[in-house]
Amino acid sequence: RAKDTGRGHLALFDRDDREHRRLQLALSADLRAALESRYLTLAYQPIFDIDTGRIAAVEALARWDHPTLGSVSPETFVAIAERTGQIDRLGLWALHSACRQAAEWQAIADIGVRVNVSALQLRQPGFVSAVARVLADTGLPVGRLGLEITETVWLADTAQVRDALTELHRMGVSILLDDLGSGHSSVTYLNRYPVIQAFKIDQSYIQAMPGKRPEAIVSAIVSLAHAFDVTVVGEGVETEAQFERLRESGCDLAQGFWLAEPTDAETMTDMLRTRRAG
Ligand code: C2E
Ligand code: MG
Ligand code: MG
Ligand code: MG
């Protein structure tokens, strides 16, 4: 059972039938093979400073080109990896590849890289030292790395997760809260996690603009963030009108198809070179 998510990927939705479990099992084996044979790649999407128009950072997004199914959505295969004990390997692969690429980019641009991290990875006792090792191996300056976590970490709100985030913050790694407002948002947690340096407002609010309520919510998030000294990113900007509303709200950074779609590393490198030259 497949459904097009509208992002040009295949996602699996129905959970209740045997057919679905069979597919999940097959995909799980395929994912293991893909991790071994490098069928996985990273796409990169720039994040722009709204005031200056400069590329502030680049988000790494995992891509899986399945031999028979074609492109499988990261939402699907990340969930499979989480359920089948492969998320640590997938996560480490993404982190290492993104840091290696970003280390190369330092020669042409002062940009950071953002890597998505699953809540399950954060619960692994060795996660912080794995990040330190990747930074040492790739030579990426620690201040260039940002880890995007989602509100699902609140579900695993343990001392261990808090300690890991605090330790990463002390090392100089940025912690960003992705998809803010999509799930388990709570002011309690925003207060309990002072290590978060950036909020990424969930795309649903951006895409509901122009509109009175989404604009009010976006403005409120920007005010709260700035009062906390937290940077705000508007994600999923698809139109000029949305971008303008975001700018008017005082939002710091913007990301979305209207500005630039995720591309392969080579195209991203060209974009960084051209922008420096121009
Ligand atoms: P995310 O981290 O919130 O990433 C943003 C998603 O929005 C990406 O989808 C991106 O392609 C898409 N996007 C960007 N601009 C626009 C826009 O203007 N309009 C629309 N409709 N979409 C836009 P993608 O690449 O399919 O990734 C989906 C999710 O999968 C990510 O959401 C992230 O949660 C997860 N993911 C991707 N790569 C990894 C990874 O390496 N590790 C982990 N744990 N999760 C990952
Ligand atoms: Mg993200
Ligand atoms: Mg997001
Ligand atoms: Mg500003």
Side-chain angles (χ1 to χ4, degrees), residues 49-51 226 250-253:
D49 184 307
I50 291 179
D51 290 336
H226 287 171
C251 186
D252 307 295
L253 302 164

Side-chain angles (χ1 to χ4, degrees), residues 7-272:
R7 288 179 188 175
H9 298 299
L10 193 70
L12 299 169
F13 277 119
D14 288 353
R15 273 143 209 280
D16 54 351
D17 51 349
R18 233 179 287 167
E19 162 81 3
H20 178 73
R21 276 201 302 279
R22 208 168 49 74
L23 254 171
Q24 294 265 316
L25 215 65
L27 276 177
S28 164
D30 291 352
L31 181 61
R32 192 158 283 129
L35 268 165
E36 270 148 27
S37 62
R38 315 270 156 188
Y39 264 116
L40 292 166
T41 56
L42 289 178
Y44 295 95
Q45 187 180 29
I47 302 166
F48 294 88
D49 184 307
I50 291 179
D51 290 336
T52 65
R54 291 182 48 162
I55 297 176
V58 172
E59 179 173 7
L61 296 160
R63 294 288 178 263
W64 181 16
D65 192 12
H66 188 281
T68 52
L69 293 172
S71 152
V72 181
S73 161
E75 267 146 12
T76 298
F77 67 78
V78 166
I80 291 173
E82 286 176 336
R83 244 178 282 130
T84 58
Q86 301 184 72
I87 191 62
D88 293 327
R89 276 191 67 206
L90 174 66
L92 196 60
W93 164 81
L95 184 68
H96 198 278
S97 312
C99 288
R100 197 181 44 212
Q101 182 60 68
E104 263 178 51
W105 283 333
Q106 297 309 304
I108 45 175
D110 291 332
I111 53 152
V113 71
R114 305 288 172 248
V115 182
N116 294 285
V117 169
S118 156
L120 291 184
Q121 287 177 267
L122 279 176
R123 281 200 284 188
Q124 283 298 318
F127 182 68
V128 175
S129 47
V131 173
R133 220 172 310 121
V134 166
L135 287 166
D137 280 359
T138 60
L140 181 71
V142 62
R144 294 295 186 209
L145 176 62
L147 300 179
E148 299 195 355
I149 61 172
T150 64
E151 293 167 338
T152 57
V153 302
W154 311 151
L155 303 176
D157 178 38
T158 60
Q160 181 163 32
V161 167
R162 277 200 299 273
D163 289 350
L165 291 175
T166 305
E167 187 53 35
L168 289 163
H169 176 68
R170 250 190 238 127
M171 281 163 56
V173 175
S174 305
I175 310 294
L176 298 87
L177 183 59
D178 206 347
D179 305 339
L180 176 65
S182 66
H184 310 275
S185 308
S186 158
V187 178
T188 309
Y189 292 119
L190 296 183
N191 193 40
R192 203 183 291 175
Y193 285 78
V195 297
I196 292 171
Q197 274 156 18
F199 292 164
K200 297 187 81 170
I201 305 173
D202 190 61
Q203 323 199 345
S204 56
Y205 298 98
I206 309 302
Q207 286 157 13
M209 297 196 298
K212 198 174 157 195
R213 294 167 77 96
E215 281 169 36
I217 291 169
V218 167
S219 293
I221 294 176
V222 170
S223 305
L224 183 68
H226 287 171
F228 282 0
D229 277 324
V230 159
T231 302
V232 199
V233 188
E235 186 176 38
V237 179
E238 293 186 345
T239 67
E240 186 172 7
Q242 288 162 8
F243 181 78
E244 283 312 321
R245 289 314 194 301
L246 211 50
R247 184 210 294 279
E248 284 158 20
S249 75
C251 186
D252 307 295
L253 302 164
Q255 178 179 8
F257 294 168
W258 186 72
L259 295 154
E261 291 191 19
T263 66
D264 58 43
E266 211 174 296
T267 310
M268 194 61 230
T269 305
D270 289 343
M271 195 189 294
L272 293 172

